[in-house]
Amino acid sequence: MLSVTYGNEGSVSNGEVLSNTLLNSAHHEQMYNRQLVLPGDVIHAEKGYLKGRGLLVDPVDGQLVATVRGVLERVNKLLYIRPLKSRYTGEVGDVIVGRVAEVGGDRWMLDYGGGGSLASLPIGGVNLPQGEQRRRTDTDRMNMRSMFTEGDLVSAEIQKVVSDSGAVILHTRSAKYGKLYNGQMVRVSSTLVRRQSSHIVENLPAPFDHLQVVLGLNGWIWVGMRPKQSGHIQSINFTQTEKGYQDVDQGSRKAIALLCACIEALGSTFTEVTVDSMLAVVDAARRRGLEGKDFLVPGVAAECANEARDVLAGRKVVYDDEDDDEPMKDATD
C-alpha cells in the first residue's frame, strides 16, 4: 500500500480520499490525481521498499519524507520523485542541440545547457568534407574552424558519458547531424522534451512541409529549412546533402516564426513538447487567424496552449469544417 500525507491535512491511499479538506482545495485535488508531492510530505509505503532520489528517512521517527517538488514514481519496489524542473543530465544516445563555445586542440567544446559544463566533440567524431573515410591529420586540426566555429549551432548525439566526471562526449557521424542553418532556436525546460522515436522531424504538414524540427532532449529546439539532398552517395551513415546559408522567402520565415511561437507557448504553460502538441497549438492559432507576431500579445500564447492541451486530452471537441455551424464545445457537454 502506498499513500501520501500532504502537510498536516491527511493522506490519500489506494484511490480513497481520507480527508475531506483535500477535495476542498483545487490545488490538493490536483496533487491527489497526479501524486504530486512537495518537500516535507510524508510517503507511506509497505515494508521492503527501496528509497530512490528525492526521498530521505527522517532520523527522528523513521518516516519517508520528500525532499523535492515533483511526481512520485514507483518501479516495482523502487520509490523516487521525478522533479518537475531539473538540470539536464545527458545519457548515451540522446540527441541534443548545442552552441560551439571553444575551438582548440583536437575538439570543439559545446554549450548545451548542462549547468555550465561543456560537452566535447572530438574531431574524430565528425564527418570530413565529401564523406572521406581516413585518419585525421594535422591539416584537419588546423582547418577545424572551416567546419564549426564559435557561435555555431550544432545538432549531435551523445556518444559517451564519463562516469567519474560526468563529462559528455558527442559525435556527428551521420548526415542528419551537423551544423544548423537557416532557422531559429527555441529554449524550453528539458523536462518537457521526452524521448521519442525520432527527434529530427521532417514529415510535417503544409505549410511546414519544407521545414525541419530538431527536438533536443536538453530543451534546445531548432526550427529551420530542411537541407536538400544533392548527391547519390547513400549509406547507413552518410547521405550527401546541401548544407549552407541560403535565401529564405517571406512565407518560410512566417512559418518558422509561427512554429517557434507555438513551441514557446507550450514551454510557458509547462506543456510537453511533441509534434502533436506543436500542431495542436498551430491549429488553435489558425482558428483565431493568428501569426507568429500575435503571440507577443499577453494572454494569447497561454490561451492557444491551454486549448491545445484540452483538445489532446479529449476534454474539448473542435469543429474545423467551415460549413459546420456548431461552435467549439467541451467534450463533457
Side-chain angles (χ1 to χ4, degrees):
M1 180 179 294
L2 179 64
S3 63
V4 182
T5 299
Y6 301 114
N8 297 321
E9 293 186 338
S11 62
V12 175
S13 174
N14 288 346
E16 296 180 358
V17 179
L18 302 184
S19 175
N20 292 331
T21 57
L22 287 177
L23 290 182
N24 294 332
S25 169
H27 171 69
H28 285 103
E29 184 177 2
Q30 183 183 19
M31 293 177 66
Y32 162 69
N33 291 332
R34 298 188 58 189
Q35 287 288 294
L36 293 178
V37 296
L38 298 175
D41 290 342
V42 178
I43 312 298
H44 303 282
E46 67 275 11
K47 295 182 179 180
Y49 67 87
L50 298 177
K51 177 176 66 67
R53 64 178 183 270
L55 297 170
L56 61 80
V57 178
D58 192 334
V60 177
D61 52 16
Q63 290 183 324
L64 194 62
V65 180
T67 60
V68 297
R69 180 187 63 175
V71 180
L72 179 62
E73 301 283 359
R74 176 176 179 175
V75 180
N76 296 329
K77 292 289 186 177
L78 175 65
L79 299 178
Y80 67 95
I81 297 177
R82 177 168 54 86
L84 294 179
K85 193 172 184 180
S86 61
R87 189 180 69 182
Y88 171 73
T89 54
E91 297 182 9
V92 176
D94 285 359
V95 177
I96 67 170
V97 175
R99 188 182 298 274
V100 178
E102 300 176 10
V103 182
D106 60 349
R107 65 193 62 240
W108 296 267
M109 303 302 294
L110 273 66
D111 177 18
Y112 65 102
S117 60
L118 300 178
S120 173
L121 176 60
I123 191 173
V126 303
N127 280 332
L128 294 175
Q130 305 302 322
E132 296 181 66
Q133 301 292 330
R134 57 175 174 79
R135 293 177 62 90
R136 276 51 172 175
T137 63
D138 292 338
T139 303
D140 296 325
R141 296 181 178 88
M142 293 177 62
N143 296 329
M144 286 175 59
R145 280 188 171 85
S146 64
M147 289 184 278
F148 308 129
T149 188
E150 289 87 349
D152 287 347
L153 286 171
V154 179
S155 62
E157 181 179 328
I158 296 181
Q159 180 181 14
K160 182 180 179 181
V161 178
V162 181
S163 58
D164 296 337
S165 61
V168 175
I169 300 176
L170 309 173
H171 81 89
T172 61
R173 288 190 295 265
S174 175
K176 59 184 179 180
Y177 305 132
K179 186 176 177 180
L180 299 171
Y181 297 89
N182 311 312
Q184 179 181 349
M185 187 188 73
V186 182
R187 296 181 63 173
V188 299
S189 174
S190 60
T191 56
L192 300 181
V193 184
R194 60 178 173 84
R195 288 173 176 80
Q196 306 171 37
S197 58
S198 177
H199 285 266
I200 300 179
V201 183
E202 295 182 347
N203 55 341
L204 295 171
F208 311 109
D209 50 352
H210 58 293
L211 301 183
Q212 178 189 65
V213 178
V214 181
L215 298 171
L217 280 167
N218 57 334
W220 295 22
I221 301 176
W222 172 263
V223 181
M225 301 292 291
R226 183 172 56 192
K228 300 178 181 178
Q229 294 188 3
S230 61
H232 303 285
I233 304 175
Q234 295 187 359
S235 64
I236 295 177
N237 294 322
F238 180 73
T239 300
Q240 190 172 355
T241 57
E242 288 183 359
K243 290 186 177 180
Y245 295 108
Q246 59 185 2
D247 292 333
V248 181
D249 59 89
Q250 185 177 9
S252 298
R253 291 175 182 268
K254 288 185 176 181
I256 293 174
L258 177 58
L259 205 54
C260 289
C262 293
I263 296 173
E264 289 181 338
L266 293 172
S268 63
T269 56
F270 209 76
T271 305
E272 191 175 64
V273 179
T274 62
V275 177
D276 292 337
S277 62
M278 285 188 295
L279 296 180
V281 180
V282 170
D283 292 339
R286 284 179 173 177
R287 285 189 289 271
R288 293 166 172 79
L290 302 177
E291 297 182 351
K293 61 181 181 180
D294 299 321
F295 279 74
L296 298 175
V297 179
V300 171
E303 181 182 353
C304 293
N306 290 333
E307 179 183 313
R309 185 164 49 190
D310 291 339
V311 170
L312 292 175
R315 294 190 295 266
K316 184 169 289 187
V317 179
V318 178
Y319 297 94
D320 292 328
D321 191 356
E322 296 180 356
D323 298 332
D324 198 337
D325 295 332
E326 293 189 50
M328 180 176 57
K329 62 180 182 179
D330 292 339
T332 56
D333 292 346

